[in-house]
Amino acid sequence: QVQLVESGGGSVQAGGSLRVSCVASITMSSYCMGWFRQAPGREREGVAHITGDGRATVADYLKDRFTISRDNAKNTLYLQMNGLQPEDTAIYYCGAHVQSDGYCYWAQFNSWGQGTQVTVSS
């Protein structure tokens, strides 16, 4: 059973930075790992994902501010968020899916952490 535990959320003023982390109970090199977020009243959306060998994809509208990375030896996934804006306020979730063909697919993420709240004030 996959267990994912996020940490590092909090409150920050606009323009600030945060790094959220996700510790996984799995052998991460065999999994695609990703970050999703859900703002109040909105559906969960994909933020970034990364393959077992470190190929990263960040949503186009976030790629100049957000960076995803992973440390397989520590079974930890990271999301570095810079230049945060109030519209980035959301619960950030860590997700995982088995990587079968070398690629990550947004729709295949099927294991989730409990989420960590990020609040950005203006």
Side-chain angles (χ1 to χ4, degrees):
Q1 182 177 354
V2 177
Q3 292 187 326
L4 305 170
V5 180
E6 302 96 334
S7 63
S11 297
V12 64
Q13 291 191 327
S17 297
L18 279 176
R19 188 178 77 162
V20 291
S21 302
C22 170
V23 177
S25 66
I26 52 179
T27 302
M28 283 180 49
S29 58
S30 299
Y31 284 77
C32 278
M33 303 296 296
W35 289 99
F36 294 71
R37 68 184 185 182
Q38 187 167 18
R42 301 188 66 175
E43 293 187 354
R44 187 177 298 186
E45 63 179 5
V47 173
H49 58 59
I50 187 167
T51 63
D53 61 354
R55 287 174 285 120
T57 298
V58 180
D60 285 343
Y61 64 100
L62 295 172
K63 62 177 52 179
D64 60 341
R65 298 189 294 121
F66 288 16
T67 303
I68 187 172
S69 62
R70 62 194 293 165
D71 186 336
N72 288 345
K74 295 182 178 179
N75 284 348
T76 302
L77 178 73
Y78 303 99
L79 182 69
Q80 177 68 43
M81 302 181 286
N82 300 324
L84 283 162
Q85 300 300 317
E87 55 265 34
D88 296 316
T89 295
I91 300 174
Y92 284 72
Y93 296 92
C94 174
H97 76 76
V98 174
Q99 182 177 319
S100 57
D101 63 359
Y103 296 93
C104 294
Y105 300 94
W106 295 113
Q108 289 190 10
F109 282 88
N110 55 9
S111 296
W112 305 97
Q114 82 290 348
T116 186
Q117 177 71 49
V118 171
T119 303
V120 186
S121 58
S122 58

